[in-house]
Amino acid sequence: MTQQNVVLSKTKSGINRDLTVAQKPPAAPGGYIPIPRRRVLKNLEINGGQRINAWVDSMRASSPTQAKSTSSFAEEHSSWILRHPSALDMFEQIMDASRGKQIVMFLDYDGTLSPIVDDPDRAFMSDSMRKTVRKLARCFPTAIVTGRCKDKVYNFVRLAELYYAGSHGMDIQGPTRDSKYSNKDKGEPLLFQPASEFLPMIDEVYNQLVEKMKSIPGARVENNKFCASVHFRCVDEKKWSELAQEVRSVLKEYPKLRLNQGRKVLEIRPSIKWDKGKALEFLLESLGFANCNDVFPVYIGDDKTDEDAFMKLRDRGQGFGILVSKFPKDTTASYSLQEPNEVMDFLQRLVEWKQVSLRLRAHSRV
């Protein structure tokens, strides 16, 4: 990879901010997704409320709140589990598939390492989860891939030996603490920001959204550096249409930005060909596994945006994805876990499996 200039500004969090692009990705983002302004505006026209109603329907579909209390749900869930079995139940089979290969771990944050909470600023990781992830990073290269601002998620996790890919992979940094899996070059950690030119635009959008959301009780706007997030978890469903209209009124003025949806959140981000799947691919190359057949990536996430990473693993024919969900969802993930506690159990079993493998290897050499 060729190196480019890096501008560093150290923060109290121990992670660098205000970085320019530091390295080229394995496949260049390719510029903006070619969406003409006229088509963007046409797609955002309300047309008697049809477009906004479609947004609201999509908001409901991507944000299930409770299980159906019917036998049909039980049948649907049983059928779904057959297609996406528990990663805990299938642990031995998973480990058999990974033998002789380097496992690389990719973890979402919200809903995966921490519970989903009403206040996104209080999505704290438990001490037991932090200890588990620390042990995991000693056994395997480990990255946090999240829609959150990189610095914010770092302050939640507080583990300098990990890779962090914030803002859906648009803000990537390698370990700032010595790690056997870091690839520091002359003491500098890996740095990459494929959308740095959008920072002023995202700040503008964030400020406008803050003003727009003042009229909607329960709405929260979060500046995640390379994307602006509107959380509607605490908004009355009757106000979702109004919220969507306000977001639309801002987005229509920025044809180089696009709307994405997650769990009770609308996100406005740059229209470049970059997502969590691209971030996964970039990190694998940075670790030296770009064209290796002996790598086994594992990606665990709960959100719609994680599907890009699940799809990337399926396309590569390597490793697998694990969806964290109590509800049946359309997914390309191979396996499932129900909640963060199950994620922690799975990670602990991975660590124990690695430790046993190392002991057996050492014993065989005696």
Side-chain angles (χ1 to χ4, degrees), residues 28-173:
Y32 310 125
I33 296 174
I35 306 176
R37 179 178 176 84
R38 183 179 299 176
R39 187 173 128 202
V40 171
L41 294 179
K42 181 178 179 180
N43 286 342
L44 291 174
E45 286 175 1
I46 297 178
N47 293 329
Q50 291 181 0
R51 181 63 183 171
I52 293 299
N53 288 340
W55 277 21
V56 173
D57 289 342
S58 182
M59 289 159 70
R60 292 193 187 101
S62 64
S63 309
T65 55
Q66 59 184 356
K68 303 172 187 176
S69 58
T70 64
S71 59
S72 64
F73 172 79
E75 292 175 4
E76 180 184 359
H77 189 265
S78 296
S79 175
W80 187 81
I81 285 294
L82 287 175
R83 299 192 305 274
H84 311 284
S86 167
L88 289 170
D89 293 343
M90 302 297 289
F91 185 82
E92 295 302 326
Q93 292 91 327
I94 292 169
M95 291 301 96
D96 286 344
S98 73
R99 290 192 186 280
K101 301 177 181 180
Q102 173 63 62
I103 294 174
V104 182
M105 297 300 300
F106 298 91
L107 308 169
D108 185 21
Y109 184 74
D110 293 277
T112 299
L113 299 181
S114 73
I116 295 293
V117 294
D118 290 342
D119 184 351
D121 290 333
R122 300 189 64 81
F124 301 120
M125 171 190 278
S126 68
D127 289 339
S128 55
M129 181 67 88
R130 183 175 295 103
K131 290 177 182 177
T132 298
V133 174
R134 180 182 288 116
K135 292 177 181 177
L136 183 75
R138 292 171 184 163
C139 297
F140 313 104
T142 301
I144 306 294
V145 185
T146 175
R148 294 273 199 156
C149 169
K150 179 189 65 183
D151 292 347
K152 185 173 291 185
V153 81
Y154 179 88
N155 286 330
F156 281 138
V157 178
R158 302 199 306 274
L159 295 174
E161 57 267 43
L162 307 183
Y163 288 81
Y164 288 87
S167 302
H168 300 287
M170 287 182 282
D171 193 4
I172 297 175
Q173 180 162 328

Side-chain angles (χ1 to χ4, degrees), residues 258-322:
R258 61 187 169 107
L259 178 76
N260 286 81
Q261 290 182 219
R263 292 179 64 178
K264 296 289 180 67
V265 62
L266 297 176
E267 295 177 323
I268 295 177
R269 55 169 127 154
S271 290
I272 64 171
K273 295 177 181 179
W274 198 261
D275 51 39
K276 289 183 176 182
K278 291 284 189 180
L280 179 151
E281 197 170 47
F282 175 81
L283 286 167
L284 285 176
E285 176 169 325
S286 299
L287 286 161
F289 298 122
N291 300 305
C292 292
N293 294 322
D294 58 352
V295 64
F296 198 82
V298 178
Y299 190 106
I300 308 179
D302 75 308
D303 197 75
K304 184 177 180 181
T305 59
D306 297 310
E307 291 296 326
D308 294 314
F310 297 153
M311 184 65 73
K312 181 63 65 176
L313 292 180
R314 178 158 291 190
D315 291 345
R316 290 174 64 97
Q318 293 177 317
F320 59 86
I322 301 176

Side-chain angles (χ1 to χ4, degrees), residues 113-365:
L113 299 181
S114 73
I116 295 293
V117 294
D118 290 342
D119 184 351
D121 290 333
R122 300 189 64 81
F124 301 120
M125 171 190 278
S126 68
D127 289 339
S128 55
M129 181 67 88
R130 183 175 295 103
K131 290 177 182 177
T132 298
V133 174
R134 180 182 288 116
K135 292 177 181 177
L136 183 75
R138 292 171 184 163
C139 297
F140 313 104
T142 301
I144 306 294
V145 185
T146 175
R148 294 273 199 156
C149 169
K150 179 189 65 183
D151 292 347
K152 185 173 291 185
V153 81
Y154 179 88
N155 286 330
F156 281 138
V157 178
R158 302 199 306 274
L159 295 174
E161 57 267 43
L162 307 183
Y163 288 81
Y164 288 87
S167 302
H168 300 287
M170 287 182 282
D171 193 4
I172 297 175
Q173 180 162 328
T176 55
R177 177 182 299 164
D178 287 342
S179 165
K180 63 180 178 180
Y181 299 115
S182 65
N183 67 340
K184 290 185 180 181
D185 182 15
K186 298 181 181 180
E188 292 294 342
L190 168 73
L191 304 169
F192 179 58
Q193 292 183 332
S196 56
E197 66 186 278
F198 288 91
L199 287 175
M201 191 181 298
I202 293 295
D203 284 340
E204 285 181 18
V205 168
Y206 168 75
N207 291 328
Q208 291 182 43
L209 288 171
V210 168
E211 290 301 314
K212 296 283 188 180
M213 293 302 117
K214 286 181 179 179
S215 64
I216 302 177
R220 295 178 63 93
V221 184
E222 186 177 15
N223 189 336
N224 282 312
K225 194 166 184 176
F226 289 95
C227 66
S229 304
V230 179
H231 298 272
F232 57 91
R233 181 168 300 278
C234 297
V235 176
D236 189 316
E237 192 168 328
K238 295 177 182 177
K239 303 285 285 185
W240 286 9
S241 179
E242 180 183 344
L243 181 144
Q245 288 178 3
E246 295 289 11
V247 172
R248 173 257 179 197
S249 70
V250 174
L251 183 60
K252 70 177 184 178
E253 301 300 326
Y254 295 89
K256 291 182 180 179
L257 301 179
R258 61 187 169 107
L259 178 76
N260 286 81
Q261 290 182 219
R263 292 179 64 178
K264 296 289 180 67
V265 62
L266 297 176
E267 295 177 323
I268 295 177
R269 55 169 127 154
S271 290
I272 64 171
K273 295 177 181 179
W274 198 261
D275 51 39
K276 289 183 176 182
K278 291 284 189 180
L280 179 151
E281 197 170 47
F282 175 81
L283 286 167
L284 285 176
E285 176 169 325
S286 299
L287 286 161
F289 298 122
N291 300 305
C292 292
N293 294 322
D294 58 352
V295 64
F296 198 82
V298 178
Y299 190 106
I300 308 179
D302 75 308
D303 197 75
K304 184 177 180 181
T305 59
D306 297 310
E307 291 296 326
D308 294 314
F310 297 153
M311 184 65 73
K312 181 63 65 176
L313 292 180
R314 178 158 291 190
D315 291 345
R316 290 174 64 97
Q318 293 177 317
F320 59 86
I322 301 176
L323 177 68
V324 184
S325 179
K326 293 182 178 180
F327 306 97
K329 295 181 181 179
D330 290 334
T331 181
T332 52
S334 302
Y335 301 100
S336 64
L337 293 167
Q338 290 201 25
E339 58 188 1
N341 282 339
E342 286 199 355
V343 173
M344 185 166 64
D345 290 345
F346 180 81
L347 299 182
Q348 287 173 339
R349 288 188 66 179
L350 266 179
V351 170
E352 292 166 2
W353 175 85
K354 180 67 173 181
Q355 291 171 342
V356 170
S357 298
L358 291 175
R359 285 197 297 268
L360 290 174
R361 187 179 306 172
H363 181 72
S364 67
R365 293 173 180 172

